[in-house]
Structures are given as C-alpha cells and as structure tokens.
C-alpha cells in the first residue's frame, strides 16, 4: 500500500487518499557498531533514529553476543518498533541496524532487515541500502546451489550468497568478497558476523556509507549511512567507506580491503540534492551548504523580478536561502509545515474536505497576499504536490508564483535504490517545461541546469550518478529489470 501524502483534505480530483507522494520515496538506512562494554543496542537505536528519514516502513536491530544473534525487527518507525524492554533483550559486543523503505520486496515484516542467515560457522546479519540490478540472475545461481529463500528481497540473496561461500570453507572476508562478485548494482552494506562487522560499498559507491569513532580508548568504530547517524551518538566522523572497499571491524581495530578491480565514484546526486539530511557531511561539508549553492546557481541562471523568495519546506529551504542571498530578494516563510503529521491511511471527514483543511502545509496569508512569489523546491517528480502547493499560494492571495527548481527535470527512473517512478509517471519525461508550468499553474517555471547542479558540488562531475536526469546509467540495467519496474509501477498506480 502506498502512503497518503495528500496536501489537502479536499482535493479529491487529484486522486484517492492513497495517492503516491510526489518526491522519490526513501531508500534505506544502515548502521553498525562494534563497542564491547557499551549498550550497542541502544547506540544502534539512536543511530537508526537519526536515519529515520531514509526509511519509515520497518526497522530492525541484530546484536551479536559471541556466536548468538539476538534479533528484533518489525513494521513501523524506529520509535514504534523498539522500547527500553526490547532493547534490554538485545545484548552483545556489536550490533547491526536497518531502517527500511521497500524498493524490492513487499512491505512485509518478513522482508524487514537485518536479514539473518545461518552458516556452518555461525549467523550473519546483513543490512543493505541500494538495489541490485541482477537479483533474478543471483537468485537463480543460488537456487542451483540448492539455496532456499524466506523473502523476496535482493538483500537476503546477498546474505545467502555470502553464507554459501562461508559453508565452502572461506573466512568471513573472503566469503563476503566472493558474494559481492556475484552482485551487480548498488549496495552499501553493514554485515555482522560472530567475529566482527563488515562495512562495504559497491564498486561505484552509489549509496553512501561512513565510518565514525566513539570517544575513548580503545578505538571503537561505527558505520552509518550518513554522518547524522554518528553525530547523535557522539561519534566522530572519520571518513567515507570508498567505492569497492570493505572495512573489517573487530576487537583488533579496523582493517581495510580494496576488493573491486575498477572502482569508480558514482555517488547518487539525488542524495545530495534532496534525500540525505542537510546536516550530513558529503565531501567534508554539510549538504545544507551544497543546497544553498544550488540556489545561488539557480538565481544566476534564471533571475526574475519578485517580492519574496519562499521554500517548499523542509527540503527546499537551503536552496531558497541561497537564491535569496544571490538575488537580493528577501527570503520569507510562506508555507508552514505540520511536522507532526506522519503518513496517514485515514480518510479526512467530509466536513474537513469541504472546509479545505490543509493536512500538511499551511500558507501564511500575511506573507503572501498581493506578493510576487518565487517558490523554490529541490525537484519535481510527478508534479502532483507542486500543483497543490501553487493552488494554496494563490488561494492565500499570491499575485504571481514563479517556481524555481534546484535540480534539472527528472526524466528517467532510478534502479539503484531510490523509488522514483517509472518513466511514464515522471512529469518531465512526458511534458515540456511550458506544459509542466501550465499543469502546475505557475506564472513561470525554471529548472537548474545539469551543469549548474554538478558545478555546485565543487567536484569532478564524473564523480556522481545523475542518471535520473540524463538516462546515462553508470551500471547497465537489464531490459528485464526495466520491464518489471514498469509493471510494478502500474500495479501501484
Ligand atoms: S538514477 Fe538518480 S536517484 Fe538513482 S542513483 Fe542515479 S542519481 Fe540517484
């Protein structure tokens, strides 16, 4: 079931209450900690709590107490899945955690992670962020080795592949590397074993993974999808795990292995624009700073006369501030977000619909009335939410609405773990900028150029995946996967 992100209770013309959200859905958050004598379950809980934005369907923690694995996972937010009593029953020296949005496999508790697989030398617990593009081929290979599956996820297939290599007599690291060599696609992994924790990224490094150190002696290491997962437990950011690198964390410390033949840097640029938290560090600066620069580039590329700059909160805020600074047009809050509205499956009442109560964003009439507004957002994917927001601004008295998007038009789907739509659902794949402008009801619409988006990174543009803007996929996508995504989207629509 797809969650309801409807902005208004009264906009039934824009779809049923289970309408799909406009922005890409989350991928997943992974976390791992090796810290004997610490409450590793609690550290993992807080790490996942900080990574909650990466996945809100299910959460899980596996702790290792010698050869014994203690696992708890369930559907829901981290704060709903765990309480003090449950955490007290997760003892150990190390832990692996996961918060999930289903990009492959159904939204069922059996598919929640970490995926635990038994081997002849003890269990492994695997937490995965990303998507494989050869899952069917991998599962077929594993079936030929007489493996059976409990879930439909690519993540379980990676864990089983590693388990079969362990059972052939390989050590944990050799087994992991052999398993990775069977995988194609995007994977940032944290894998618990009875002897230590593995952190690894695929040879393109599409999804992030960082290493931190807890204060104290001896050094105790932490792995997290983003640095915000380190900050919350007081761990110091050490560095990112490199594409094609495996780190092995044990009581002896951390060792690093570069196992991929031709690693490349292809970090998902959408993580930078929208998905990762603005307080997380990428290339040693916060994404807040990067997103402000996107706004500045946008102001240089597409100036317009207006009275104030407002953002679609929260993700459009840094770019709107950047636009304002560069253009000299004042920034104001024009939309107030109800931060306590989660996803709801409950239909609003008829009277709520009739009175047009805003569920999530409420416009500030005092700021908007008779004003020429520049509205900044980070992206438009389907266009449904943008149209509702523009209507809200006009209803509140805005005289003109000029929409500025701090990324290029999204024209292609993602196969690497961000749940963007299939191509026919992406508004920029089927409509020109003028047609989108008319569809969402703005006076003008401008996107940041692809060059501007990458120039703002301050890095080599080749260091990023930007395939959803160009169709230039850094990892080949089999036709079968393209077709199955289309079928899945049709079922969801
Ligand atoms: S296709 Fe887009 S969303 Fe997917 S990894 Fe590449 S840049 Fe990120």
């Amino acid at each position: 079931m797809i969650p309801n992100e409807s902005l208004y209770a009264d906009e039934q013309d824009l779809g049923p209450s289970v309408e799909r959200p406009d922005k890409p859905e989350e991928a997943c958050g992974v976390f791992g900690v090796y810290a004997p004598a610490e409450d590793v379950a609690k550290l993992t809980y807080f790490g996942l709590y900080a990574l909650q934005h990466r996945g809100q369907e299910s959460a899980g923690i596996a702790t290792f107490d010698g050869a014994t694995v203690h696992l708890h996972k369930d559907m829901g937010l981290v704060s709903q899945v765990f309480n003090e009593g449950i955490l007290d029953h997760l003892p150990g020296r190390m832990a692996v955690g996961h918060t999930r949005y289903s990009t492959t496999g159904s939204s069922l508790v059996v598919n929640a992670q970490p995926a635990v697989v038994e081997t002849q030398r003890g269990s492994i617990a695997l937490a995965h962020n990303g998507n494989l593009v050869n899952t069917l081929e991998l599962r077929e290979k594993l079936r030929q080795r007489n493996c059976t599956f409990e879930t439909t996820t690519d993540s379980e297939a990676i864990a089983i592949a590693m388990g079969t290599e362990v059972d052939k007599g390989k050590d944990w690291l050799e087994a992991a590397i052999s398993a990775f060599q069977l995988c194609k696609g995007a994977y940032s992994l944290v894998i618990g074993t009875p002897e230590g924790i593995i952190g690894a990224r695929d040879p393109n490094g599409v999804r992030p993974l960082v290493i931190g150190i807890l204060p104290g002696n001896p050094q105790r290491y932490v792995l997290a999808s983003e640095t915000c997962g380190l900050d919350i437990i007081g761990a110091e950011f050490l560095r990112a795990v490199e594409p094609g690198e495996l780190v092995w964390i044990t009581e002896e410390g951390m060792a690093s292995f570069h196992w991929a033949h031709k690693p490349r840097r292809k970090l998902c640029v959408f993580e930078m624009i929208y998905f990762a938290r603005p307080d997380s560090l990428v290339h040693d600066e916060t994404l807040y700073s990067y997103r402000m620069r996107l706004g500045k580039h946008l102001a240089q590329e597409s100036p317009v006369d207006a009275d104030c700059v407002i953002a679609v909160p929260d993700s459009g805020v840094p770019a709107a501030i950047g636009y304002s600074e560069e253009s000299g047009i004042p920034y104001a809050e024009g939309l107030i977000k109800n931060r306590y509205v989660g996803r709801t499956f409950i239909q609003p009442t008829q009277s709520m619909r009739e009175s047009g109560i805003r569920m999530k964003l409420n416009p500030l009439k005092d700021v908007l009335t008779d004003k020429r507004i520049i509205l900044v957002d980070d992206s438009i994917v389907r266009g449904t939410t943008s149209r509702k927001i523009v209507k809200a601004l006009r209803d509140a008295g805005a005289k003109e609405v000029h929409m500025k998007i701090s990324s290029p038009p999204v024209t292609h789907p993602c196969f690497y773990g961000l749940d963007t739509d299939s191509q026919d659902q992406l508004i920029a794949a089927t409509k020109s900028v003028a047609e989108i402008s008319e569809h969402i009801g703005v006076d003008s619409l401008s996107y940041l150029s692809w060059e501007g988006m990458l120039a703002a990174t301050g890095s080599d543009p080749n260091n990023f995946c930007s395939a959803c803007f160009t169709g230039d996929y850094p990892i080949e996508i089999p036709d079968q996967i393209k077709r199955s995504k289309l079928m899945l989207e049709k079922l969801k629509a």
Side-chain angles (χ1 to χ4, degrees):
M1 195 171 204
I2 305 303
N4 176 18
E5 285 276 283
S6 205
L7 180 71
Y8 285 121
D10 62 337
E11 292 209 346
Q12 293 305 292
D13 60 313
L14 295 174
S17 65
V18 289
E19 177 186 329
R20 296 200 67 187
D22 185 58
K23 293 291 171 63
E25 283 294 285
E26 302 81 353
C28 291
V30 298
F31 188 88
V33 56
Y34 188 100
E38 294 278 351
D39 187 340
V40 290
K42 206 168 252 185
L43 291 174
T44 306
Y45 169 86
F46 284 110
L48 294 181
Y49 190 72
L51 297 171
Q52 185 72 84
H53 61 288
R54 299 188 67 87
Q56 292 144 23
E57 282 187 1
S58 64
I61 297 175
T63 58
F64 284 78
D65 184 13
T68 310
V69 179
H70 304 271
L71 173 69
H72 182 81
K73 57 183 184 178
D74 208 340
M75 304 304 291
L77 300 173
V78 176
S79 59
Q80 295 166 329
V81 170
F82 296 99
N83 57 36
E84 291 270 2
I86 290 168
L87 293 173
D88 284 348
H89 285 92
L90 296 172
R93 292 175 298 146
M94 53 186 158
V96 173
H98 191 264
T99 178
R100 177 170 193 259
Y101 174 78
S102 56
T103 47
T104 69
S106 311
S107 177
L108 300 170
V109 70
V110 69
N111 287 337
Q113 294 185 33
V116 172
V117 166
E118 305 295 327
T119 77
Q120 289 167 9
R121 297 179 48 218
S123 300
I124 55 177
L126 178 144
H128 172 208
N129 174 205
N131 257 20
L132 298 190
V133 297
N134 71 331
T135 308
L136 298 176
E137 189 189 314
L138 175 61
R139 283 169 70 97
E140 188 47 43
K141 269 190 195 142
L142 294 172
R143 264 192 212 101
Q144 285 165 12
R145 294 182 189 178
N146 296 323
C147 298
T148 54
F149 303 91
E150 281 182 17
T151 80
T152 53
T153 66
D154 51 355
S155 314
E156 185 197 27
I158 304 172
I160 289 176
M162 180 173 160
T164 60
E165 300 292 338
V166 172
D167 290 345
K168 284 184 196 167
K170 293 183 180 168
D171 68 27
W172 302 111
L173 302 189
E174 288 168 343
I177 292 168
S178 299
F180 301 162
Q181 277 157 352
L182 299 173
C183 298
K184 286 193 191 119
Y187 48 97
S188 281
L189 300 167
V190 176
I191 309 171
T193 75
E195 287 171 36
I197 293 181
I198 291 168
R201 281 172 89 197
D202 66 73
N204 290 283
V206 176
R207 297 280 152 232
L209 186 65
V210 296
I211 309 165
I213 302 177
L214 283 167
N217 207 353
Q219 284 186 331
R220 292 150 313 157
Y221 291 93
V222 185
L223 297 162
S225 292
E226 295 178 35
T227 58
C228 64
L230 307 178
D231 296 338
I232 195 170
I233 59 165
E236 189 188 331
F237 171 54
L238 180 63
R239 64 175 176 88
V241 177
E242 294 291 318
E245 183 187 9
L246 178 157
V247 293
W248 175 230
I249 300 168
T250 63
E251 62 184 345
E252 284 159 24
M254 185 175 76
S256 160
F257 302 86
H258 291 270
W259 55 271
H261 289 309
K262 286 188 180 166
R264 300 188 298 173
R265 293 174 192 279
K266 291 290 174 188
L267 177 66
C268 166
V269 78
F270 229 110
E271 293 265 0
M272 312 256 307
I273 294 163
Y274 159 71
F275 187 52
R277 259 176 49 167
D279 53 335
S280 285
L281 293 171
V282 172
H283 302 151
D284 293 330
E285 72 165 358
T286 64
L287 290 175
Y288 183 87
S289 300
Y290 170 64
R291 291 170 191 173
M292 266 185 68
R293 273 203 305 282
L294 291 176
K296 290 185 181 204
H297 279 260
L298 190 55
Q300 289 161 8
E301 287 186 10
S302 60
V304 64
D305 269 347
D307 300 309
C308 71
V309 180
I310 68 167
V312 177
D314 291 317
S315 53
V317 170
I321 293 172
Y323 193 104
S324 165
E325 280 188 6
E326 185 68 20
S327 64
I329 300 170
Y331 171 78
E333 283 200 54
L335 288 161
I336 300 300
K337 183 173 179 176
N338 181 351
R339 294 195 168 75
Y340 303 97
V341 172
R343 290 174 169 170
T344 176
F345 295 98
I346 307 297
Q347 291 265 13
T349 67
Q350 187 59 29
S351 60
M352 283 169 74
R353 277 190 207 122
E354 283 162 8
S355 61
I357 287 176
R358 280 99 173 144
M359 302 279 284
K360 195 170 174 189
L361 292 176
N362 213 8
L364 273 172
K365 279 193 178 170
D366 296 358
V367 172
L368 300 165
T369 302
D370 289 332
K371 297 277 176 36
R372 297 167 301 161
I373 304 295
I374 294 173
L375 173 66
V376 180
D377 202 356
D378 53 83
S379 56
I380 300 178
V381 179
R382 288 162 65 94
T384 48
T385 306
S386 308
R387 189 159 79 144
K388 293 174 192 175
I389 291 169
V390 172
K391 181 177 182 303
L393 298 178
R394 292 206 189 277
D395 288 349
K399 201 161 65 182
E400 292 175 17
V401 180
H402 301 276
M403 190 146 194
K404 305 286 179 190
I405 304 299
S406 62
S407 62
V410 176
T411 50
H412 291 76
C414 178
F415 297 93
Y416 307 142
L418 227 64
D419 189 21
T420 53
D421 298 275
S422 61
Q423 201 162 16
D424 59 339
Q425 301 291 314
L426 300 169
I427 192 166
T430 53
K431 286 182 168 38
S432 67
V433 174
E435 287 168 333
I436 298 168
S437 175
E438 192 183 335
H439 177 80
I440 61 180
V442 287
D443 295 278
S444 71
L445 168 66
S446 313
Y447 289 87
L448 182 63
S449 66
W450 180 80
E451 292 80 6
M453 171 183 75
L454 291 171
T457 64
S459 309
D460 182 343
N462 292 317
N463 285 353
F464 298 92
C465 173
S466 60
C468 49
F469 304 109
T470 61
D472 183 10
Y473 292 98
I475 308 163
E476 194 187 343
I477 313 293
D479 285 343
Q480 198 178 16
I481 298 290
K482 289 183 192 162
R483 282 196 301 274
S484 64
K485 176 143 187 137
L486 194 60
M487 272 171 57
L488 192 67
E489 294 302 330
K490 284 191 172 148
L491 285 172
K492 284 177 176 178

